[in-house]
Amino acid sequence: MKARAMVTHHFGGPNEFKLEEIDIPDPGPGQLLVRVVASGTNPVDAKLRADGTWAGLKPPVVLGYEVSGVVERVGPCVTDFRTGDEVYYTPEILGNPYGSYAELNLVSASIVARKPKNLDHYAAAAVPLAGGTAWEGIMRRLQVRLGETVLIHGGAGGVGSFAVQLARTAGARVIASASTANQQTLKDLGVDNPIDYQKEDPMEIALQLTDARGVDAVFDTVGKDLVGRSLRATRSFGRVACILPPGGDLTSLYGRNLTLHGIMLTRECQRLEELRAVIELGKVRPLVDAVLPLEDVAKAHQRLDSGHGRGKIVLRIAKT
Ligand SMILES: NC(=O)c1ccc[n+]([C@@H]2O[C@H](COP(=O)([O-])OP(=O)(O)OC[C@H]3O[C@@H](n4cnc5c(N)ncnc54)[C@H](OP(=O)(O)O)[C@@H]3O)[C@@H](O)[C@H]2O)c1
């Protein structure tokens, strides 16, 4: 079927997009063809646009890895979905030339879940990759528990804004960092102790707030040397999780019996169903900063390139 899509013909800057009509194959066994009503945008899109060879991509390629949409066609052997079902998911990245900056997306039904009923497509599209990463970090790896104290670096970002809400829902006290411009966002998300990393050292504040004991768990969404610097602000036998390569001096992991979890998001339906449950309970809401037409994808990429922002930017694509 023909679909309008933003195609990247060369790896490079934020303007490397061309609006074109492309052919999307019919769904094969176990696959769905989904009408993409909205696509979330994520920093990985910008990294792949700059150079996607590390992910096995070769231009021309359609980027985008967050979908909320409607099942258009169902492939053979798919029993769980029907035409018209409202779904959300994060398409495979590695070696997949058909991302979600297009009206139609071909996907394996095994990684698709039903969209949360209480979110429209524009909010739901902000969830699968960013919310899924936060779920993996806070709920599964760190297993944050009632009464614990958690330090989250980058609490106002796409992943961090979900992580803050999930840690609060789990019953933890949340200390989180962001720039001066995002302090109100941290407060609005329910952060107990917002920290302005441009004015204060988050590790120092975390130690002060825990009477020098250190926090129970750290979730780092920023990278650089933050994992290494966070270790002294983590209690003995505490846990740390990161979604970027851990930098800094990691020596004290050993002496202080700390556990470090590295996270690279995999595709699965179960995680999306778990997230849908907390979203439908009203415990977590995606923070959508802007909804832009597909034609304005370059604007979203300029913000992604900056490494600074508030929540998510979502693209409006097909009609509902
Ligand atoms: N491993 C995985 O599977 C996985 C999954 C998802 C994302 N990621 C990666 O994780 C990173 C974050 O993703 P995202 O979607 O949350 O990005 P994002 O929406 O761009 O958010 C990044 C946030 O980091 C904050 N920040 C920047 N420097 C900081 C610092 N020194 N201290 C504290 N906060 C700081 C920014 O806040 P201010 O504007 O206030 O500075 C911004 O809100 C990206 O590099 C992404 O590629 C990895």
Side-chain angles (χ1 to χ4, degrees):
M1 279 178 89
K2 294 272 183 213
R4 236 169 26 105
M6 274 294 176
V7 182
T8 297
H9 285 275
H10 308 279
F11 292 137
N15 293 316
E16 290 293 348
F17 294 102
K18 227 172 128 198
L19 189 62
E20 292 176 7
E21 278 240 310
I22 62 167
D23 278 313
I24 305 276
D26 275 340
Q31 290 184 318
L32 300 172
L33 187 67
V34 173
R35 183 150 40 92
V36 181
V37 178
S39 167
T41 62
N42 291 280
V44 72
D45 307 9
K47 294 174 191 176
L48 293 167
R49 184 213 69 227
D51 183 1
T53 48
W54 60 271
L57 298 183
K58 213 170 113 199
V61 64
V62 177
L63 303 172
Y65 305 96
E66 264 183 335
V67 172
S68 182
V70 181
V71 174
E72 181 87 14
R73 286 189 187 174
V74 177
C77 312
V78 176
T79 52
D80 295 346
F81 294 97
R82 293 181 181 184
T83 300
D85 284 348
E86 296 195 312
V87 295
Y88 79 146
Y89 58 94
T90 169
E92 183 52 69
I93 291 179
L94 302 178
N96 177 15
Y98 297 113
S100 54
Y101 297 170
E103 284 172 329
L104 294 170
N105 184 252
L106 190 63
V107 61
S108 164
S110 65
I111 62 167
V112 174
R114 283 185 169 66
K115 163 180 108 44
K117 288 194 186 76
N118 56 340
L119 296 186
D120 64 21
H121 286 289
Y122 307 108
V127 178
L129 193 154
T133 306
W135 183 268
E136 191 66 32
I138 297 292
M139 308 309 292
R140 289 189 177 173
R141 308 294 184 87
L142 294 172
Q143 298 186 11
V144 169
R145 290 184 285 272
L146 184 66
E148 288 195 318
T149 299
V150 183
L151 171 62
I152 298 173
H153 295 298
V159 177
S161 55
F162 282 104
V164 164
Q165 296 179 70
L166 289 170
R168 290 265 307 161
T169 299
R173 170 194 194 175
V174 176
I175 304 170
S177 65
S179 65
T180 309
N182 274 325
Q183 291 305 297
Q184 188 56 46
T185 306
L186 293 182
K187 287 180 198 148
D188 293 345
L189 287 166
V191 170
D192 298 283
N193 302 103
I195 302 175
D196 181 345
Y197 69 79
Q198 293 174 311
K199 295 187 180 152
E200 302 164 312
D201 177 1
M203 283 43 88
E204 241 356 282
I205 306 285
L207 281 167
Q208 283 167 24
L209 290 169
T210 56
D211 298 326
R213 174 178 169 268
V215 299
D216 299 289
V218 176
F219 186 50
D220 176 35
T221 73
V222 175
K224 303 174 195 152
D225 60 353
L226 271 175
V227 167
R229 285 173 53 208
S230 297
L231 301 186
R232 73 184 185 93
T234 311
R235 69 164 168 85
S236 293
F237 291 91
R239 299 97 70 198
V240 179
C242 59
I243 60 174
L244 288 162
D249 183 357
L250 305 183
T251 317
S252 63
L253 273 176
Y254 156 75
R256 302 193 40 247
N257 286 294
L258 302 176
T259 303
L260 176 61
H261 298 271
I263 297 170
M264 175 58 75
L265 191 72
T266 55
R267 270 62 201 161
E268 70 167 67
C269 165
Q270 174 70 26
R271 190 190 299 109
L272 292 170
E273 284 173 353
E274 290 165 1
L275 257 171
R276 184 183 62 213
V278 290
I279 290 171
E280 287 184 347
L281 280 173
K283 301 289 185 189
V284 173
R285 263 204 88 77
L287 176 63
V288 177
D289 192 32
V291 178
L292 302 176
L294 178 62
E295 289 76 2
D296 284 352
V297 65
K299 282 189 194 157
H301 273 245
Q302 281 157 11
R303 133 84 170 92
L304 293 170
D305 280 351
S306 78
H308 297 284
R310 180 182 167 274
K312 303 281 305 262
I313 298 184
V314 170
L315 300 174
R316 189 170 53 241
I317 306 187
K319 293 206 166 53
T320 39

